[in-house]
Amino acid sequence: MSESIVIVVEHHEGAVAAINFELLALAEALARIRPLKIRAVLLGADPEALARSFAKASGLWVTAFEHPGLPEYDAELYKTLLMEVLPELEARYILIPQTTQGLDYAPGLAVRLKSGCLTGVEGVGQGDDGPFFTRTAFNGKIVLDLAPTAAIAVLAVQPGAFKAGDVSGRPAGRVTVKHSTAEPKGSRGLGLKQVRQEDSGLAEAEVVVAAGRGVGKRENLILIEQLAALFARSAVAGSRPLCDQNWLEYKRQVGLTGATVAPKLYIACGISGAIQHTVGMQGSGFIVAISTDPNAAIFNIADVCVVEDLTTFIPALIEAHQGI
Amino acid sequence: MKILVCIKQVPDSETRVEIDARDGRIRIDQEAKHWMNHADEFAVEEAVRIKETLPDTVIDVLTVGPERAAQVLERAMGMGANQAFHLLAPEADYRSPFVTASWIGAVAADRGYDLILAGVMAQDDMQAQVGPILAELLGRPCATSVIFVEIRPEQGAVYVEREVEGGRRHMLELDLPAVLTIQTGINKPRYPTLSNLLRAKKQKATVLDASTLPPVSGRERLVAADYPRRSRAGQFLEGDRAEKADHLLRILREKAFL
């Protein structure tokens, strides 16, 4: 055995999430800086078939770790089982998708491994004494380069940050099956429940006009609706804080834990551009951003930037449109 | 029930944050307004709601930060917390969440909390780590992104629902004592009351200097800070409001959106 980079494969309802292939892209970039083997671990109640299909699709050697308590994700079991398998694999970097699941167990796992944990990882670079990883802070206004100082690092990787490479045509990887019946301690999983359906109107809209905290008052949402009404096949969406205030339904939330949209045109109104929101709209065809903050991070991913107060700019825009 | 709520003071999201060209340090506008981290308000509110249903509940709040962070403790007291702890620590370009969590752990370990709450994520450094690290250091079960809480005192447990992707919730029961990180939208945070605020002013927070705690080092270090790269053209429209509106309309028509 030799030291390795390990991808902890996220899967739901018998399917491997697409982000695992983005993790593979990071693993390969990292292996160019520090030449380690890349391995994968897939945990589940009956993981072997899924592990085989991922080993085939990715070419990676996959450890399928079986535990009867894992029909669904369980934080305690994930940490316990990973503590058994990661030392065997001599894992030096552990790559985990930054999802609600990944963020749930990655920091605790790092404590058990006596390692560091970096969340929101968006890039990798070569420093003087090994790789460093980049993440954003301050609502996306600053990028930090962080270098792990412990022997092992757990990395929670931002979805959409790394482009999955073409891995077709690789020989299928091996699969090793492990079993455990370790008793879960301290918590009992009770399954999942669906609390709302996705809004198909949002996904199908060609133009999405989205509101953020910058709308200020609930009454100003009418401006967002008026702006959306200028376009055919449009929909109104928003960032999480608006939904938290009951100004918009949660099914209209774009971003982490909300919808991911990629319309032809996305108009962000009063949205700061924190990664929790942009992860859900950065694939849009053309992005217009309106914000009073000239340093707002949303401008970094916009095609057109308007530094104005939306409460006066949108009426001016509508008036100019109707005046012709 | 004895509850601890970990809260943080963060700069307003529109604050100018710059990198000093001379030393590469991060400079936050000194005039910036600071608030309680958004998610932490929901955590304080959730604790106050538990106190309303379980009358013998006591709520402590704790923050790590410079002197001005005392303001968020006052606010939490105003919302209904009983006692405040201020772990005094200077501003830092980067503080490893492991260090912050270790400090909180050193203070919380012997105080017999049945439940520790924190916000799901801080708005400024967006780590989402202090809560789950703290849980691990104290050897307690943990659930993150919690959007529903029900204490089950007779079972010595807490039932929670975690918000996960795709409009779904993950349901689980944790043995007490436990650590939860609270997702925004779980409740509607109340405004502080005047009488509570007056009490907060009179009843000072217990101040502890972080430098007196057992030393701990972070597990990652800041190599450099930089501005994000633009991923698109990022054309800034010029002129007055009307000119910008005209210009934007021209662009939208050229692209055949209008």
Side-chain angles (χ1 to χ4, degrees), chain A residues 104 112 138 141 143 244 284, chain B residues 15 124 136 144 184 226 232:
Chain A
D104 194 53
R112 291 192 194 180
F138 297 103
K141 289 179 185 181
V143 175
D244 288 341
S284 301
Chain B
T15 300
D124 53 357
E136 202 65 42
T144 59
T184 61
D226 205 345
R232 298 191 186 219

Side-chain angles (χ1 to χ4, degrees), chain A residues 95-158:
Chain A
L95 277 44
I96 295 172
Q98 175 140 339
T99 53
T100 55
Q101 176 173 314
L103 277 180
D104 194 53
Y105 71 88
L109 175 67
V111 174
R112 291 192 194 180
L113 287 166
K114 298 187 167 30
S115 75
C117 180
L118 304 180
T119 56
V121 170
E122 292 179 15
V124 58
Q126 183 158 16
D128 297 336
D129 47 2
F132 64 80
F133 300 91
T134 60
R135 71 188 307 278
T136 61
F138 297 103
N139 274 312
K141 289 179 185 181
I142 298 288
V143 175
L144 305 177
D145 297 344
L146 297 169
T149 52
I152 301 174
V154 173
L155 310 172
V157 182
Q158 193 66 51

Side-chain angles (χ1 to χ4, degrees), chain A:
Chain A
M1 188 52 64
S2 56
E3 296 182 333
S4 63
I5 299 166
V6 175
I7 294 169
V8 184
V9 178
E10 183 160 329
H11 56 94
H12 298 280
E13 293 165 344
V16 165
I19 185 172
N20 296 295
F21 292 94
E22 298 173 17
L23 265 55
L24 178 54
L26 167 59
E28 288 178 346
L30 182 54
R32 283 192 287 274
I33 297 169
R34 196 171 158 195
L36 304 176
K37 294 194 308 194
I38 304 169
R39 298 282 298 263
V41 173
L42 194 149
L43 311 176
D46 186 15
E48 192 179 336
L50 200 52
R52 289 207 182 279
S53 83
F54 185 65
K56 189 167 176 230
S58 66
L60 294 179
W61 184 347
V62 183
T63 302
F65 205 159
E66 186 180 314
H67 189 289
L70 285 176
E72 300 295 344
Y73 159 76
D74 180 280
E76 188 54 40
L77 285 177
Y78 259 58
K79 286 182 278 192
T80 304
L81 300 189
L82 287 169
M83 281 309 288
E84 199 179 316
V85 69
L86 293 173
E88 289 172 8
L89 297 174
E90 291 184 51
R92 290 298 166 262
Y93 297 94
I94 296 112
L95 277 44
I96 295 172
Q98 175 140 339
T99 53
T100 55
Q101 176 173 314
L103 277 180
D104 194 53
Y105 71 88
L109 175 67
V111 174
R112 291 192 194 180
L113 287 166
K114 298 187 167 30
S115 75
C117 180
L118 304 180
T119 56
V121 170
E122 292 179 15
V124 58
Q126 183 158 16
D128 297 336
D129 47 2
F132 64 80
F133 300 91
T134 60
R135 71 188 307 278
T136 61
F138 297 103
N139 274 312
K141 289 179 185 181
I142 298 288
V143 175
L144 305 177
D145 297 344
L146 297 169
T149 52
I152 301 174
V154 173
L155 310 172
V157 182
Q158 193 66 51
F162 296 90
K163 199 172 178 323
D166 180 12
V167 291
S168 59
R170 294 185 186 185
R174 288 171 57 182
V175 171
T176 307
V177 183
K178 276 175 74 76
H179 307 268
S180 166
T181 50
E183 285 293 314
K185 285 185 303 228
S187 67
R188 292 158 294 285
L190 302 168
L192 292 165
K193 68 174 177 184
Q194 192 79 37
V195 292
R196 64 166 196 278
Q197 298 302 322
E198 301 298 290
D199 189 337
S200 58
L202 208 51
E204 286 161 12
E206 291 183 356
V207 177
V208 172
V209 183
R213 273 184 158 183
V215 295
K217 285 189 286 203
R218 186 176 194 155
E219 300 87 277
N220 292 334
L221 277 177
I222 189 86
L223 298 172
I224 307 299
E225 286 162 17
Q226 287 168 351
L227 178 55
L230 299 186
F231 304 93
R233 305 202 63 185
S234 65
V236 169
S239 64
R240 184 170 184 107
L242 265 63
C243 303
D244 288 341
Q245 284 177 287
N246 283 328
W247 292 3
L248 272 181
E249 293 176 275
Y250 278 102
K251 64 181 185 182
R252 302 236 155 229
Q253 180 203 339
V254 168
L256 199 74
T257 74
T260 298
V261 297
K264 291 178 180 166
L265 171 64
Y266 192 92
I267 307 182
C269 306
I271 289 177
S272 66
I275 193 101
Q276 298 97 301
H277 180 75
T278 58
V279 72
M281 48 66 76
Q282 59 201 1
S284 301
F286 194 76
I287 299 174
V288 175
I290 305 165
S291 170
T292 52
D293 180 3
N295 300 304
I298 191 77
F299 289 144
N300 293 322
I301 61 160
D303 296 281
V304 175
C305 313
V306 183
V307 183
E308 283 287 340
D309 183 344
L310 69 94
T311 60
T312 49
F313 183 73
I314 292 174
L317 188 70
I318 293 170
E319 197 182 280
H321 178 60
Q322 287 162 346
I324 293 169

Side-chain angles (χ1 to χ4, degrees), chain B residues 48-60:
Chain B
V48 176
R49 288 182 183 211
I50 292 168
K51 185 170 139 181
E52 284 168 350
T53 55
L54 300 170
D56 285 334
T57 298
V58 175
I59 304 170
D60 288 355

